[in-house]
């Protein structure tokens, strides 16, 4: 017998024993008191479980708009477009108790620009357990879907995984990393879950969040950033409208993209294509100082400068953008501190 059932049975036996054997007023009072105590215990027992064990309740899932805004402003560097879109999209979705469809974000950009980091920030400001929450699910193409010959099996598994987890908690989050390495056609298997359906087989997916991370489209983002730099315009002048159309077309027509010719784009089920701009030297400096702060190391601009200068930049002659963004900052900082 499970411990919980054993405890409840024991309490009931104590109450029953007191009520059947006692005939004096004082004993009767004790029995009534025990019964009342048991009723209160049973009523609060579930709440105690909710307190100590993560569950799909507001105690564990509650959006912190102020926290997300502060994190995007203080921890994400060089991404004025992405920060603005993410905050508005997530805030609008989480504030709606009856959304028409799941929130679908497609994050694009070169390596080390902050796509994974933003996913982490979103999770940390929705789930008390952050990325460790049992309601946050990360799929990596090369790990979960390695063999092209198994694509039909993967489609069935993916549908089952998503259906099972959303059934368990409507406010589930699914992060698909390495979309540029995903087998074309695989992601289409979850298209019905992202559409404007009230329920599918009794399950509503409208409160779930789907985030796709991809390097696909990075070239077009870089080219736009270079064009602005060449014309003498600052990167902060770049707007979403300068990138969104070319980005969605680039991803849709790229055979190396997991979103190649996907119905998700064709049917306009992706709510936002979020561009992540290539990072400049000044942004790398900010990344280094932020990492030093996270490690509780006194900020040292000389060390930050050494780390930043050690990275590779492109184009080679101008050295404008860091090839790997802030991706290798942690290991580089280990060398200089």
């Amino acid at each position: 017998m499970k411990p919980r059932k054993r405890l409840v049975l024991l309490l009931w036996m104590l109450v029953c024993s007191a009520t059947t054997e006692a005939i004096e007023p004082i004993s009767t009072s004790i029995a009534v008191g025990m019964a009342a105590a048991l009723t209160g215990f049973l009523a609060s027992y579930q709440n105690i479980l909710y307190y100590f064990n993560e569950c799909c309740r507001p105690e564990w899932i509650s959006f912190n708009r102020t926290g997300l805004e502060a994190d995007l402003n203080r921890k994400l560097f060089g991404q004025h477009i992405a920060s603005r879109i993410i905050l508005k999209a997530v805030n609008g979705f989480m504030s709606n108790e009856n959304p028409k469809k799941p929130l679908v974000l497609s994050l694009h950009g070169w390596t080390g620009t902050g796509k994974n980091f933003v996913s982490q920030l979103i999770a940390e400001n929705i789930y008390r357990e952050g990325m460790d929450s049992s309601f946050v699910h990360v799929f990596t193409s090369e790990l979960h879907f390695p063999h092209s010959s198994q694509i039909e099996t993967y489609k069935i598994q993916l549908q089952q995984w998503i259906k099972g987890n959303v059934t368990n908690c409507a406010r589930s989050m699914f992060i698909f990393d390495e979309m540029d390495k995903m087998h074309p056609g695989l992601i289409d298997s979850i298209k019905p879950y992202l559409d404007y359906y009230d329920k599918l087989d009794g399950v509503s997916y409208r409160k779930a969040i789907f985030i796709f991370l991809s390097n696909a489209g990075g070239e077009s983002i870089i080219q736009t950033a270079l064009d602005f730099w060449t014309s003498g315009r600052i990167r902060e002048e770049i707007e979403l409208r300068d990138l969104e159309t070319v980005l969605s077309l680039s991803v849709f027509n790229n055979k190396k993209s997991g979103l190649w010719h996907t119905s998700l784009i064709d049917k306009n089920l992706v709510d936002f294509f979020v561009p992540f701009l290539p990072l400049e030297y000044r942004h790398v400096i900010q990344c280094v100082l932020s990492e030093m702060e996270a490690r509780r190391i006194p900020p040292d601009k000389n060390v930050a400068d050494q780390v930043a200068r050690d990275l590779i930049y492109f184009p080679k002659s101008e050295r404008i953008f860091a090839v790997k963004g802030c991706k290798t900052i942690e290991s580089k900082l280990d060398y200089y501190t």
Side-chain angles (χ1 to χ4, degrees):
M1 184 180 295
K2 294 183 178 179
R4 176 185 173 187
K5 290 184 178 180
R6 193 182 306 124
L7 177 58
V8 173
L9 179 59
L10 177 59
L11 288 170
W12 271 117
M13 289 174 64
L14 288 171
V15 172
C16 290
S17 174
T19 55
T20 56
E21 296 179 6
I23 56 174
E24 295 182 8
I26 188 170
S27 299
T28 303
S29 298
I30 293 174
V32 172
M34 290 181 66
L38 176 61
T39 302
F41 170 78
L42 292 174
S44 62
Y45 183 79
Q46 203 71 12
N47 289 329
I48 294 173
L49 285 179
Y50 291 150
Y51 183 82
F52 289 105
N53 296 278
E54 186 185 26
C55 55
C56 190
R57 285 167 57 99
E59 293 92 336
W60 294 90
I61 304 175
S62 180
F63 178 54
N64 183 355
R65 184 196 186 283
T66 303
L68 179 59
E69 183 175 18
D71 284 344
L72 291 171
N73 289 335
R74 293 188 298 105
K75 300 178 181 179
L76 183 66
F77 308 113
Q79 304 299 348
H80 66 283
I81 301 176
S83 293
R84 186 166 60 248
I85 297 173
I86 293 297
L87 182 61
K88 289 185 176 181
V90 177
N91 180 59
F93 180 75
M94 293 299 296
S95 300
N96 187 352
E97 284 300 317
N98 189 31
K100 299 296 183 183
K101 64 180 291 295
L103 176 63
V104 183
L105 302 174
S106 193
L107 280 50
H108 299 268
W110 213 244
T111 183
T113 52
K115 301 184 299 296
N116 277 287
F117 184 55
V118 161
S119 301
Q120 176 185 324
L121 294 182
I122 295 173
E124 288 177 349
N125 285 284
I126 294 179
Y127 305 92
R128 197 206 294 185
E129 296 294 294
M131 290 297 292
D132 293 328
S133 171
S134 57
F135 306 123
V136 176
H137 313 278
V138 180
F139 299 98
T140 303
S141 297
E142 292 187 331
L143 176 62
H144 295 98
F145 318 110
H147 308 296
S148 58
S149 60
Q150 301 288 326
I151 187 170
E152 295 304 318
T153 300
Y154 295 151
K155 286 181 179 180
I156 296 173
Q157 290 177 339
L158 188 54
Q159 290 174 340
Q160 292 174 339
W161 288 335
I162 292 176
K163 181 178 181 180
N165 283 296
V166 173
T167 300
N168 183 44
C169 183
R171 286 291 189 188
S172 293
M173 178 185 291
F174 302 92
I175 301 171
F176 292 84
D177 199 3
E178 301 178 343
M179 281 296 296
D180 46 303
K181 299 177 182 177
M182 181 175 285
H183 308 298
L186 175 56
I187 203 65
D188 274 333
S189 65
I190 67 169
K191 183 258 181 187
Y193 304 150
L194 311 186
D195 216 328
Y196 292 83
Y197 293 113
D198 184 22
K199 289 184 178 181
L200 291 171
D201 293 331
V203 180
S204 174
Y205 298 85
R206 294 181 300 165
K207 292 186 177 182
I209 297 177
F210 294 82
I211 302 178
F212 304 128
L213 312 179
S214 177
N215 290 343
E219 294 83 359
S220 60
I221 296 173
I222 289 173
Q223 188 57 56
T224 299
L226 274 173
D227 291 342
F228 269 72
W229 182 84
T230 302
S231 61
R233 301 172 64 184
I234 61 174
R235 67 189 281 132
E236 285 73 21
E237 293 180 14
I238 303 175
E239 298 290 342
L240 178 61
R241 63 174 176 268
D242 298 314
L243 289 163
E244 190 171 35
T245 300
V246 66
L247 179 57
S248 61
L249 289 174
S250 174
V251 173
F252 184 76
N253 293 311
N254 187 345
K255 290 185 177 182
K256 293 183 179 180
S257 167
L259 295 171
W260 179 67
H261 283 196
T262 177
S263 60
L264 271 62
I265 296 178
D266 195 33
K267 300 298 182 180
N268 298 309
L269 298 181
V270 177
D271 296 297
F272 292 97
F273 288 92
V274 186
F276 281 70
L277 300 171
L279 299 183
E280 300 174 6
Y281 176 86
R282 58 190 170 115
H283 303 126
V284 176
I285 291 288
Q286 289 177 296
C287 288
V288 179
L289 293 174
S290 179
E291 178 63 21
M292 295 179 78
E293 181 182 353
R295 297 187 186 189
R296 298 183 179 179
I297 299 174
D300 189 326
K301 290 188 176 181
N302 290 327
V303 171
D305 181 68
Q306 286 181 307
V307 173
R309 281 191 286 108
D310 196 32
L311 301 184
I312 300 174
Y313 295 81
F314 70 96
K316 288 186 177 180
S317 55
E318 292 88 356
R319 287 174 54 86
I320 306 170
F321 303 122
V323 172
K324 294 184 179 180
C326 290
K327 195 177 184 74
T328 60
I329 290 301
E330 290 188 18
S331 58
K332 295 288 185 182
L333 188 57
D334 289 336
Y335 178 77
Y336 286 104
T337 56

